[in-house]
Short mmCIF file of all heavy atoms in Angstrom, two decimals:
data_model
loop_
_atom_site.label_atom_id
_atom_site.label_comp_id
_atom_site.label_asym_id
_atom_site.label_seq_id
_atom_site.Cartn_x
_atom_site.Cartn_y
_atom_site.Cartn_z
N VAL B 1266 0.79 -1.25 0.08
CA VAL B 1266 0.02 -0.06 0.00
C VAL B 1266 0.87 1.26 0.00
O VAL B 1266 0.31 2.36 -0.23
CB VAL B 1266 -0.96 -0.11 1.20
CG1 VAL B 1266 -0.19 0.33 2.42
CG2 VAL B 1266 -2.24 0.89 0.83
N GLY B 1267 2.17 1.14 0.31
CA GLY B 1267 2.96 2.31 0.25
C GLY B 1267 3.04 2.93 -1.13
O GLY B 1267 3.28 4.22 -1.21
N ALA B 1268 2.80 2.17 -2.22
CA ALA B 1268 2.84 2.71 -3.52
C ALA B 1268 1.40 3.09 -3.91
O ALA B 1268 1.19 3.45 -5.05
CB ALA B 1268 3.35 1.64 -4.45
N GLY B 1269 0.37 3.14 -3.03
CA GLY B 1269 -0.94 3.48 -3.25
C GLY B 1269 -1.88 2.37 -3.21
O GLY B 1269 -1.54 1.22 -3.31
N ALA B 1270 -3.09 2.84 -2.87
CA ALA B 1270 -4.15 1.76 -2.60
C ALA B 1270 -4.54 0.91 -3.96
O ALA B 1270 -4.69 -0.21 -3.87
CB ALA B 1270 -5.48 2.45 -2.21
N ALA B 1271 -4.35 1.66 -5.08
CA ALA B 1271 -4.71 1.02 -6.42
C ALA B 1271 -3.64 -0.12 -6.65
O ALA B 1271 -4.01 -1.35 -6.99
CB ALA B 1271 -4.74 1.98 -7.56
N HIS B 1272 -2.43 0.29 -6.35
CA HIS B 1272 -1.22 -0.72 -6.49
C HIS B 1272 -1.36 -1.96 -5.61
O HIS B 1272 -1.23 -3.02 -5.95
CB HIS B 1272 0.06 0.00 -6.43
CG HIS B 1272 1.22 -0.98 -6.29
ND1 HIS B 1272 1.71 -1.42 -7.42
CD2 HIS B 1272 2.03 -1.44 -5.30
CE1 HIS B 1272 2.79 -2.34 -7.22
NE2 HIS B 1272 3.01 -2.22 -5.94
N ALA B 1273 -1.77 -1.69 -4.43
CA ALA B 1273 -2.01 -2.67 -3.42
C ALA B 1273 -3.13 -3.60 -3.80
O ALA B 1273 -2.96 -4.85 -3.62
CB ALA B 1273 -2.21 -2.12 -1.94
N LEU B 1274 -4.14 -3.07 -4.32
CA LEU B 1274 -5.24 -3.82 -4.83
C LEU B 1274 -4.80 -4.72 -5.91
O LEU B 1274 -5.21 -5.99 -5.95
CB LEU B 1274 -6.43 -2.95 -5.20
CG LEU B 1274 -7.70 -3.70 -5.72
CD1 LEU B 1274 -8.28 -4.56 -4.77
CD2 LEU B 1274 -8.57 -2.73 -6.30
N LEU B 1275 -4.08 -4.13 -6.90
CA LEU B 1275 -3.73 -5.03 -8.07
C LEU B 1275 -2.82 -6.11 -7.56
O LEU B 1275 -2.92 -7.32 -8.07
CB LEU B 1275 -2.95 -4.12 -9.17
CG LEU B 1275 -3.90 -3.09 -9.75
CD1 LEU B 1275 -2.99 -2.15 -10.61
CD2 LEU B 1275 -4.95 -3.79 -10.48
N VAL B 1276 -1.84 -5.89 -6.68
CA VAL B 1276 -0.91 -6.97 -6.22
C VAL B 1276 -1.69 -8.07 -5.45
O VAL B 1276 -1.46 -9.25 -5.64
CB VAL B 1276 0.16 -6.41 -5.28
CG1 VAL B 1276 0.98 -7.51 -4.64
CG2 VAL B 1276 1.03 -5.34 -6.07
N SER B 1277 -2.61 -7.68 -4.65
CA SER B 1277 -3.47 -8.60 -3.87
C SER B 1277 -4.39 -9.45 -4.79
O SER B 1277 -4.61 -10.53 -4.63
CB SER B 1277 -4.30 -7.84 -2.87
OG SER B 1277 -3.52 -7.00 -2.01
N LEU B 1278 -4.83 -8.73 -5.90
CA LEU B 1278 -5.77 -9.50 -6.90
C LEU B 1278 -4.91 -10.51 -7.61
O LEU B 1278 -5.39 -11.66 -7.96
CB LEU B 1278 -6.28 -8.51 -7.83
CG LEU B 1278 -7.50 -7.71 -7.37
CD1 LEU B 1278 -7.83 -6.63 -8.37
CD2 LEU B 1278 -8.68 -8.65 -7.12
N GLY B 1279 -3.63 -10.19 -7.87
CA GLY B 1279 -2.72 -11.18 -8.42
C GLY B 1279 -2.46 -12.42 -7.54
O GLY B 1279 -2.67 -13.62 -8.03
N VAL B 1280 -2.41 -12.29 -6.14
CA VAL B 1280 -2.32 -13.30 -5.26
C VAL B 1280 -3.56 -14.25 -5.31
O VAL B 1280 -3.54 -15.48 -5.28
CB VAL B 1280 -1.94 -12.76 -3.93
CG1 VAL B 1280 -2.02 -14.01 -2.86
CG2 VAL B 1280 -0.61 -12.25 -3.87
N VAL B 1281 -4.80 -13.54 -5.20
CA VAL B 1281 -6.13 -14.19 -5.18
C VAL B 1281 -6.29 -14.93 -6.54
O VAL B 1281 -6.65 -16.24 -6.44
CB VAL B 1281 -7.24 -13.12 -4.99
CG1 VAL B 1281 -8.53 -13.89 -5.09
CG2 VAL B 1281 -7.04 -12.53 -3.51
N GLY B 1282 -5.92 -14.30 -7.61
CA GLY B 1282 -6.08 -15.06 -8.97
C GLY B 1282 -5.17 -16.27 -8.97
O GLY B 1282 -5.77 -17.26 -9.52
N ALA B 1283 -4.02 -16.19 -8.49
CA ALA B 1283 -3.22 -17.44 -8.49
C ALA B 1283 -3.81 -18.52 -7.60
O ALA B 1283 -3.73 -19.75 -8.04
CB ALA B 1283 -1.74 -17.06 -7.94
N ALA B 1284 -4.28 -18.22 -6.43
CA ALA B 1284 -4.86 -19.19 -5.60
C ALA B 1284 -6.14 -19.77 -6.35
O ALA B 1284 -6.36 -21.04 -6.20
CB ALA B 1284 -5.36 -18.50 -4.27
N VAL B 1285 -6.95 -19.03 -6.87
CA VAL B 1285 -8.24 -19.60 -7.51
C VAL B 1285 -7.85 -20.42 -8.70
O VAL B 1285 -8.41 -21.44 -9.00
CB VAL B 1285 -9.10 -18.37 -8.08
CG1 VAL B 1285 -10.21 -18.90 -8.87
CG2 VAL B 1285 -9.53 -17.59 -6.91
N ALA B 1286 -6.68 -20.11 -9.49
CA ALA B 1286 -6.17 -20.94 -10.58
C ALA B 1286 -5.82 -22.24 -10.18
O ALA B 1286 -5.87 -23.23 -10.71
CB ALA B 1286 -5.09 -20.24 -11.27
N LEU B 1287 -5.09 -22.38 -8.88
CA LEU B 1287 -4.61 -23.52 -8.24
C LEU B 1287 -5.99 -24.38 -7.96
O LEU B 1287 -5.87 -25.55 -8.15
CB LEU B 1287 -3.99 -23.28 -6.90
CG LEU B 1287 -3.61 -24.51 -6.20
CD1 LEU B 1287 -2.79 -25.41 -6.88
CD2 LEU B 1287 -2.90 -24.14 -4.81
N CYS B 1288 -6.98 -23.83 -7.52
CA CYS B 1288 -8.33 -24.48 -7.25
C CYS B 1288 -8.80 -25.11 -8.47
O CYS B 1288 -9.37 -26.20 -8.40
CB CYS B 1288 -9.28 -23.57 -6.56
SG CYS B 1288 -8.88 -23.06 -4.87
N LEU B 1289 -8.72 -24.44 -9.56
CA LEU B 1289 -9.18 -25.02 -10.76
C LEU B 1289 -8.45 -26.29 -11.24
O LEU B 1289 -9.13 -27.29 -11.74
CB LEU B 1289 -8.94 -24.00 -11.97
CG LEU B 1289 -10.13 -23.04 -12.08
CD1 LEU B 1289 -9.66 -21.86 -13.19
CD2 LEU B 1289 -11.38 -23.61 -12.52
N CYS B 1290 -7.28 -26.33 -10.89
CA CYS B 1290 -6.48 -27.67 -11.07
C CYS B 1290 -7.04 -28.77 -10.17
O CYS B 1290 -6.97 -29.95 -10.60
CB CYS B 1290 -4.99 -27.39 -10.88
SG CYS B 1290 -4.17 -26.21 -12.02
N LEU B 1291 -7.36 -28.39 -8.93
CA LEU B 1291 -7.85 -29.40 -8.12
C LEU B 1291 -9.32 -29.87 -8.27
O LEU B 1291 -9.63 -31.00 -7.86
CB LEU B 1291 -7.81 -28.91 -6.55
CG LEU B 1291 -6.42 -28.50 -6.04
CD1 LEU B 1291 -6.48 -27.68 -4.65
CD2 LEU B 1291 -5.63 -29.73 -5.84
N VAL B 1292 -10.07 -29.18 -9.05
CA VAL B 1292 -11.41 -29.54 -9.24
C VAL B 1292 -11.43 -30.85 -9.99
O VAL B 1292 -12.38 -31.78 -9.87
CB VAL B 1292 -12.11 -28.51 -10.16
CG1 VAL B 1292 -13.40 -28.97 -10.74
CG2 VAL B 1292 -12.38 -27.20 -9.31
N ARG B 1293 -10.49 -31.16 -10.88
CA ARG B 1293 -10.50 -32.43 -11.65
C ARG B 1293 -10.42 -33.64 -10.69
O ARG B 1293 -10.71 -34.73 -11.21
CB ARG B 1293 -9.39 -32.35 -12.63
CG ARG B 1293 -9.45 -31.25 -13.72
CD ARG B 1293 -8.29 -31.47 -14.69
NE ARG B 1293 -8.31 -32.65 -15.32
CZ ARG B 1293 -7.35 -33.17 -16.29
NH1 ARG B 1293 -6.38 -32.40 -16.58
NH2 ARG B 1293 -7.46 -34.29 -16.77
N LEU B 1294 -9.95 -33.47 -9.46
CA LEU B 1294 -9.74 -34.53 -8.62
C LEU B 1294 -10.98 -34.78 -7.80
O LEU B 1294 -11.08 -35.76 -6.99
CB LEU B 1294 -8.55 -34.30 -7.68
CG LEU B 1294 -7.20 -34.10 -8.30
CD1 LEU B 1294 -6.16 -33.87 -7.33
CD2 LEU B 1294 -6.80 -35.44 -9.13
N LEU B 1295 -11.99 -33.90 -7.86
CA LEU B 1295 -13.19 -34.14 -7.05
C LEU B 1295 -14.14 -35.10 -7.60
O LEU B 1295 -13.92 -35.50 -8.78
CB LEU B 1295 -14.05 -32.75 -7.06
CG LEU B 1295 -13.21 -31.51 -6.30
CD1 LEU B 1295 -14.17 -30.28 -6.55
CD2 LEU B 1295 -12.89 -31.76 -4.87
N PRO B 1296 -15.00 -35.70 -6.89
CA PRO B 1296 -16.06 -36.64 -7.35
C PRO B 1296 -16.87 -35.89 -8.40
O PRO B 1296 -17.06 -34.66 -8.38
CB PRO B 1296 -16.97 -36.88 -6.14
CG PRO B 1296 -16.03 -36.70 -5.02
CD PRO B 1296 -15.06 -35.64 -5.37
N ARG B 1297 -17.37 -36.54 -9.47
CA ARG B 1297 -18.05 -36.02 -10.53
C ARG B 1297 -19.24 -35.34 -10.21
O ARG B 1297 -19.64 -34.34 -10.81
CB ARG B 1297 -18.26 -37.07 -11.71
CG ARG B 1297 -16.99 -37.46 -12.38
CD ARG B 1297 -17.17 -38.39 -13.41
NE ARG B 1297 -16.01 -38.81 -14.06
CZ ARG B 1297 -15.35 -38.15 -15.04
NH1 ARG B 1297 -15.95 -36.99 -15.49
NH2 ARG B 1297 -14.26 -38.67 -15.65
#
């Protein structure tokens, strides 16, 4: 956030996006 709230939001969204992408890989292992 030192670089601004918008920058902090963008960095955090990148982290969240990576986590959700990992979840997409795990979906294939779930029961159908």
Side-chain angles (χ1 to χ4, degrees):
V1266 79
H1272 174 73
L1274 179 67
L1275 292 175
V1276 173
S1277 302
L1278 283 172
V1280 173
V1281 171
V1285 174
L1287 173 61
C1288 292
L1289 275 172
C1290 299
L1291 294 173
V1292 168
R1293 297 183 61 185
L1294 301 177
L1295 297 180
R1297 292 184 178 275

